[in-house]
Amino acid sequence: MRVAVVSESFLPTVNGVTNSVLRVLDHLAAEGHEAIVICPEAGAPDEYAGYRIHQVPSIAYRQFPVGLPSPQVQRILAKFEPDVLHAASPFFLGAQAIAAANRVGVPSVAIYQTDVAGFARRNGLGMTAAIAWKYVRWVHEGADVTLVPSSASEYDLRQAGVRRLARWGRGVDLERYHPNNRRTPAAVALRERLSPDGEVVVGYVGRIAPEKQVERLRVLRGLPRVSVAIVGDGPAREAVERQLHGVPTTWLGRLGGADLAAAYAAFDVFVHTGSEETFGQTVQEAHASGLPVVAPRAGGPIDLVEHGLDGLLFPPADDRGLRAAVSMLAADAPLRLRMGEAGRRRVLGRGWNVLCAELIGHYEQVILDSCTDVRRGGAQRTGTLRAYS
């Protein structure tokens, strides 16, 4: 199979979109498929996993490279002759690629991964929510199928009028993130740093940006024998630091690989603060690491956390609920252990090999539907609607 992956984000930028694309490319390479990547120009490597990376002109907007319309996209696709187009979190570049694929009869799979309406509102793009959702609908209606990561995002897209939806979550590295990491020298050393007097360590991992609402951790001020550890960086860090004044906090910066796994292993409780997350990959990583999770009852965490079993969900606008959940877990070590074990069990069937195999199945379905439409005398979306509704 020949797969053209078009992503709004790629290395060296590291975020949820990039990470998912890398895991997909790893799987395609392992299974012997051919692929290319098209991404905004931002210093990406020439290749990844043996696949060529094509960079197209972009502009930097608030630390994000944004791909610009370019005739290169059509030329690259025409030369590669893909069987399917994979559009990762399509925005400007992805929309152009989907349109180009439609012109040459290549079926496309769009991955909904970013709250575009929320992004536009927060980043001053001059788009009201209604206009932004119209744009989202226009982009995704061009694709043969849109894969959504959660029930909340599926509901939002259906309300916006997007059809041909199917569920596809995200995988998690079950070997890298593991409860046994708590015994590694790196995790033990970090634990001694974060909890010198036996404090319960409440951890956060993610971008420090307004939409992540990390400042909500200020509600933990005054909780006895509780310390906070934050992994990540971003444009809101200074503002969050000011708001967390008086909360015993250790800022660990950006971490990856074994260092990130050791950080999870040094935590006792994981807190997810944002209420606008389409999925919540760090929740899965925390569960894989054997941690109980505290999160808002909104967005992706609704599907990832079972309240009272592997974590605690609080009303999304209720900071007191966040404090109460952390306080309960901080005071009860056996409860933390039981929930952490339940969280690990919950993700055992969500390794990246399983999720990527599901993705290949979606590729095969849209290719089959496309061939069926051609035999019937023309590409018609109704054929795909029977498979994806």
Side-chain angles (χ1 to χ4, degrees):
M1 186 184 302
R2 298 171 65 83
V3 183
V5 177
V6 179
S7 180
E8 303 290 344
S9 177
F10 198 69
L11 297 172
T13 302
V14 178
N15 54 33
V17 175
T18 299
N19 289 337
S20 291
V21 168
L22 297 181
R23 299 293 78 77
V24 169
L25 294 174
D26 289 339
H27 185 81
L28 292 174
E31 295 297 312
H33 300 289
E34 297 181 61
I36 58 170
V37 176
I38 303 174
C39 63
E41 188 173 20
D46 293 333
E47 65 173 40
Y48 179 84
Y51 298 137
R52 185 175 176 184
I53 311 302
H54 298 268
Q55 299 185 74
V56 299
S58 68
I59 59 171
Y61 185 83
R62 297 196 178 188
Q63 300 185 353
F64 289 97
V66 178
L68 298 174
S70 170
Q72 286 181 252
V73 174
Q74 179 96 30
R75 290 198 296 265
I76 293 168
L77 291 177
K79 183 177 180 179
F80 181 65
E81 297 183 338
D83 297 309
V84 65
L85 175 80
H86 172 123
S89 194
F91 193 41
F92 291 141
L93 179 60
Q96 181 186 2
I98 290 170
N102 284 335
R103 285 194 292 271
V104 296
V106 173
S108 56
V109 174
I111 313 297
Y112 182 74
Q113 201 161 342
T114 302
D115 177 6
V116 174
F119 177 86
R121 183 177 63 252
R122 289 187 299 268
N123 290 278
L125 293 182
M127 303 170 74
T128 66
I131 294 174
W133 276 116
K134 286 182 180 179
Y135 182 77
V136 170
R137 181 170 63 247
W138 175 75
V139 171
H140 286 272
E141 279 292 278
D144 288 83
V145 64
T146 291
L147 302 183
V148 295
S150 65
S151 57
S153 55
E154 181 175 0
Y155 175 81
D156 288 343
L157 287 177
R158 288 198 186 280
Q159 289 296 106
V162 180
R163 303 167 296 164
R164 299 185 301 278
L165 301 175
R167 289 283 291 277
W168 182 66
R170 302 292 179 268
V172 61
D173 190 331
L174 296 171
E175 295 181 3
R176 169 164 289 170
Y177 304 109
H178 197 286
N180 288 344
N181 289 336
R182 294 182 74 89
R183 297 193 291 268
T184 63
V188 170
L190 181 56
R191 175 75 187 184
E192 291 175 352
R193 175 184 167 192
L194 300 177
S195 178
D197 298 311
E199 296 91 344
V200 172
V201 180
V202 176
Y204 166 86
V205 176
R207 195 161 179 265
I208 315 300
E211 68 273 16
K212 302 299 184 180
Q213 300 174 278
V214 186
E215 68 280 357
R216 301 183 76 176
L217 294 173
R218 63 177 177 255
V219 76
L220 304 183
R221 187 180 292 113
L223 271 185
R225 299 182 63 77
V226 167
S227 67
V228 172
I230 295 178
V231 175
D233 205 348
R237 173 164 172 170
E238 289 187 8
V240 173
E241 282 194 59
R242 289 193 298 269
Q243 295 201 53
L244 294 188
H245 179 72
V247 179
T249 304
T250 302
W251 295 83
L252 298 174
R254 294 179 181 173
L255 299 177
D259 293 333
L260 178 56
Y264 279 113
F267 299 162
D268 295 298
V269 177
F270 182 79
V271 174
H272 175 83
T273 51
S275 58
E276 300 177 3
E277 203 75 25
T278 57
F279 186 65
Q281 178 66 357
T282 57
V283 171
Q284 288 201 137
E285 292 169 354
H287 271 158
S289 301
L291 295 175
V293 172
V294 173
R297 193 185 295 274
I302 293 175
D303 299 322
L304 300 178
V305 179
E306 185 170 346
H307 181 74
L309 178 64
D310 48 44
L312 298 171
L313 297 172
F314 60 90
D318 184 6
D319 285 355
R320 290 180 300 177
L322 190 164
R323 179 185 172 97
V326 171
S327 180
M328 177 188 296
L329 289 169
D332 195 335
L335 178 61
R336 296 198 301 271
L337 179 61
R338 289 197 301 273
M339 286 189 170
E341 290 175 344
R344 174 71 184 180
R345 290 194 299 272
R346 187 180 183 90
V347 298
L348 287 179
R350 295 181 185 169
W352 271 112
N353 60 328
V354 175
L355 271 294
C356 287
E358 289 182 10
L359 179 63
I360 297 297
H362 289 296
Y363 292 166
E364 292 171 345
Q365 181 67 61
V366 297
I367 292 170
L368 176 62
D369 288 341
S370 177
C371 292
T372 300
D373 288 338
V374 169
R375 288 196 297 269
R376 288 174 177 170
Q380 297 179 8
R381 295 289 182 196
T382 54
T384 304
L385 275 170
R386 281 194 293 275
Y388 296 108
S389 60

